[in-house]
Amino acid sequence: MNAIIQCENITHYYGNRLIYENLNFEVMPGKILGLLGKNGTGKTTIINILTGFLKPRAGVCRIFGEAMERLTPAAKSRIGLLLEGHIQHTYFNIEQIEKFYSRFFPKWKREAYYELLKRLQVTSTQKISAMSCGQRSQVALGLLFAQDPDLLILDDFSMGLDPGYRRLFVEYLREYITAENKTVFLTSHIIQDMEQLIDDCIIMDYGRILLHEPAAHILNHFRRFRFTSDADEIAPADGTLWHTEKVGNNWETYSFASAADVQRTLADGGAAVSGLAEERLSLEDAFIGLTGKY
Amino acid sequence: MYTSLFYKEWIKTRRPLLLLSAVFAATVAYILLNVAKLYQANPVALWEFIVQNNAAQAGYLKYLTLGAGIALALVQLAPEMQNKRLKLTLHLPLNESKIVGSILWFGIVALTGLYLASGAILLAGLTVYFPAEIVSANLLAMLPWMLGGLAAYLFAAWICLEPVWRQRVLYTIPALGCTSLFYLDALPGAYLPFVPWLASLTVAGFAFPFYSAIRFKQGVQ
């Protein structure tokens, strides 16, 4: 099966600041991939590269087998793009924007758009500029549903939404992508929302991919371990432990390894530990464990 | 698809275009009423007026053509650059050059229509009071201004679509220089030998916004 998205050896700088070096990843058909990273790790940058709005210093991304810089109209019609902040053409009203987009997409589903907007307290002649961010997010989502693309690229879809609209957005999106077997590449700074949606997860660190695993693998195997120790410093001996640090009088560390292996690794490092307790983590906690708090 | 792109431009510009049409109509009406008043009151004074104005009654339209060109470019393209909304437009399933070309053609056709309609009404009005020589002198005076309005539109589009502010400032310098060539004070008809050159400059100006659009597409910062 051919990958829907392929990124090969992407290297990019802003001025002299390295954003990525040799970034590689793929998204297979029907998968929902979430891109997580702290501010400034280049989440929007990769979306800009993917959609052809940024030329990287080196490397190539392909969508449906086409290089991102020269996507054909046919390929573009199969990609639904949601810009950060649910940006839309705000000079249109609800009817006009549907009329505008409908002529570009062969599979346009007018009813999908109006079905979603029926639940908003807006009139069909209301201008998008006069809507709240939450209402605009529903317009943007309705337009994506009507376009019926094979691939959705959603940049920070939670941005500016209150909890109600976030929940609404996630629920509609989840229902749609599950029913229609869509491929999705998304970012959000609210990891709780991602947890409900994604199959696979890329966690970015500054300049590189820290981890690319199925979300279920992270949730099932990545653990926080709390323990006590008299040691002033515990230096992880190998790559088994992540972000081992003292919190008050106790210590904590994160690992994919079992409790026994963690105990052994700590002992091998010369730390006398006691009361090792293992905790399951949410994706957000796992993200903190992998990237650190700072 | 093209009709849809034109529809988008129409939604953005319909009120400003209506306003511009009203301003042009009011200016043309003012010029004709002024001429009519002078003609009725004192035909000698009218000829003095003609001599003082180098036979060009259309002078009030001079900088209006320039202002209309710049204003239309801003009305069309400033919303596209706000929040980088142009990404949505360029992501439409059409060749990107054709998308940018459609936006520019809409503006050029709208401006040309505005200039020709107001010019035609003015010249038709002047034929009531003046011989053909004076009317044609007005036509020759207006021609470079109308081309200047179109060139100003294209230069403003070039500056507006540019993604980097520093470059915008740099582009403004040659844009002002080139646009001023269309608005030099001269006797009506003195420009005539230069009109083909000014027309060529206007045609060349059509390429500049595409350069800015390419830079936008490449994410130049």
Side-chain angles (χ1 to χ4, degrees):
Chain A
M1 206 185 309
N2 291 331
I4 299 284
I5 297 175
Q6 287 172 300
C7 280
E8 290 173 13
N9 300 317
I10 295 291
T11 298
H12 191 63
Y13 289 80
Y14 285 126
N16 292 324
R17 188 165 75 88
L18 174 72
I19 305 298
Y20 320 112
E21 191 155 32
N22 293 323
L23 191 77
N24 291 283
F25 67 89
E26 286 185 346
V27 185
M28 299 307 286
K31 289 285 181 190
I32 304 162
L33 185 127
L35 186 64
L36 277 69
K38 290 181 176 176
N39 292 342
T41 49
K43 299 188 293 295
T44 297
T45 299
I46 198 69
I47 287 194
N48 285 335
I49 290 171
L50 267 179
T51 47
F53 289 112
L54 181 61
K55 193 175 177 184
R57 191 75 64 90
V60 64
C61 281
R62 292 187 189 86
I63 301 186
F64 302 119
E66 295 182 10
M68 75 278 176
E69 290 165 64
R70 290 180 297 278
L71 286 175
T72 60
K76 284 199 282 183
S77 74
R78 296 174 65 195
I79 304 167
L81 178 63
L82 180 79
L83 297 180
E84 189 174 336
H86 309 97
I87 303 298
Q88 265 305 338
H89 299 286
T90 48
Y91 34 82
F92 283 129
N93 67 30
I94 284 181
E95 253 176 23
Q96 288 166 342
I97 201 165
E98 189 275 331
K99 188 177 164 190
F100 166 66
Y101 277 114
S102 64
R103 295 181 191 164
F104 289 99
F105 301 100
K107 295 192 288 179
W108 189 258
K109 293 178 176 169
R110 186 173 187 267
E111 63 288 352
Y113 173 72
Y114 282 108
E115 183 63 34
L116 192 70
L117 293 197
K118 232 170 34 187
R119 300 162 202 223
L120 294 181
Q121 300 298 312
V122 290
T123 60
S124 57
T125 53
Q126 186 166 335
K127 270 189 122 182
I128 295 169
S129 58
M131 291 179 176
S132 70
C133 187
Q135 289 172 327
R136 273 207 321 272
S137 74
Q138 297 299 295
V139 172
L141 193 62
L143 291 168
L144 285 176
F145 289 178
Q147 182 190 339
D148 196 22
D150 297 319
L151 168 67
L152 288 110
I153 297 178
L154 314 176
D155 189 8
D156 206 348
F157 66 85
S158 312
M159 192 182 199
L161 301 186
D162 65 29
Y165 272 113
R166 261 176 44 217
R167 182 70 61 87
L168 199 65
F169 194 98
V170 169
E171 282 175 3
Y172 283 143
L173 185 63
R174 189 175 49 200
E175 192 183 311
Y176 175 73
I177 54 188
T178 312
E180 306 281 338
N181 195 33
K182 302 293 182 187
T183 306
V184 185
F185 184 87
L186 56 90
T187 70
S188 169
H189 68 283
I190 300 189
I191 300 171
Q192 279 168 290
D193 296 342
M194 303 268 274
E195 193 171 335
Q196 299 177 49
L197 286 169
I198 59 176
D199 300 317
D200 292 336
C201 180
I202 290 180
I203 296 181
M204 301 289 301
D205 198 1
Y206 295 98
R208 68 192 176 106
I209 289 177
L210 203 60
L211 195 76
H212 183 178
E213 292 287 350
H217 174 78
I218 298 171
L219 291 169
N220 291 334
H221 297 97
F222 197 60
R223 299 279 187 267
R224 178 164 50 214
F225 296 91
R226 293 187 199 274
F227 56 92
T228 52
S229 173
D230 292 335
D232 290 327
E233 193 180 337
I234 298 175
D238 52 28
T240 313
L241 306 182
W242 300 68
H243 295 103
T244 306
E245 60 183 6
K246 197 168 188 178
V247 182
N249 293 323
N250 295 313
W251 284 82
E252 66 179 34
T253 189
Y254 297 83
S255 181
F256 281 100
S258 66
D261 286 342
V262 169
Q263 182 98 42
R264 195 177 311 118
T265 304
L266 288 168
D268 289 349
V273 303
S274 60
L276 188 78
E278 180 181 342
E279 290 173 36
R280 286 182 72 92
L281 299 174
S282 65
L283 193 60
E284 184 170 298
D285 287 334
F287 174 75
I288 297 291
L290 287 161
T291 61
K293 289 170 188 155
Y294 306 106
Chain B
M1 290 185 191
Y2 292 105
T3 51
S4 213
L5 282 172
F6 292 143
Y7 173 68
K8 177 161 81 76
E9 297 312 306
W10 170 243
I11 294 292
K12 274 191 283 188
T13 59
R14 56 189 174 167
R15 287 193 183 91
L17 276 177
L18 193 67
L19 181 68
L20 283 175
S21 303
V23 171
F24 271 79
T27 308
V28 168
Y30 176 78
I31 295 168
L32 290 176
L33 284 171
N34 207 20
V35 169
K37 193 181 75 183
L38 281 169
Y39 187 81
Q40 282 164 6
N42 187 352
V44 177
L46 176 63
W47 283 100
E48 275 177 16
F49 176 82
I50 290 165
V51 171
Q52 281 165 10
N53 289 278
N54 295 324
Q57 284 69 45
Y60 292 106
L61 286 177
K62 186 175 183 179
Y63 293 108
L64 209 52
T65 55
L66 175 71
I70 294 170
L72 191 62
L74 289 176
V75 165
Q76 279 186 272
L77 298 169
E80 297 285 341
M81 297 310 284
Q82 197 183 5
N83 295 318
K84 297 189 176 175
R85 216 170 266 145
L86 186 62
K87 283 182 186 177
L88 290 172
T89 305
L90 295 180
H91 184 67
L92 291 168
L94 252 183
N95 177 293
E96 284 126 13
S97 302
K98 289 177 180 170
I99 293 173
V100 175
S102 302
I103 294 171
L104 297 176
W105 272 117
F106 178 91
I108 288 167
V109 169
L111 280 177
T112 308
L114 187 65
Y115 296 162
L116 290 182
S118 47
I121 294 167
L122 179 66
L123 295 178
L126 291 178
T127 53
V128 175
Y129 306 101
F130 298 115
E133 289 80 2
I134 300 290
V135 176
S136 64
N138 275 278
L139 172 66
L140 294 177
M142 281 193 291
L143 203 58
W145 304 338
M146 290 179 178
L147 283 172
L150 294 175
Y153 168 77
L154 293 167
F155 292 144
W158 173 41
I159 294 165
C160 222
L161 286 171
E162 164 59 43
V164 181
W165 268 102
R166 194 166 48 90
Q167 289 294 114
R168 283 180 178 170
V169 174
L170 287 176
Y171 293 170
T172 305
I173 300 163
L176 284 175
C178 289
T179 309
S180 67
L181 295 175
F182 294 83
Y183 294 94
L184 297 173
D185 285 325
L187 291 171
Y191 256 114
L192 201 56
F194 302 107
V195 166
W197 295 105
L198 295 177
S200 304
L201 183 59
T202 309
V203 171
F206 193 75
F208 294 180
F210 288 87
Y211 176 69
S212 291
I214 290 167
R215 283 170 53 81
F216 179 89
K217 182 79 183 10
Q218 290 179 340
V220 176
Q221 292 195 351

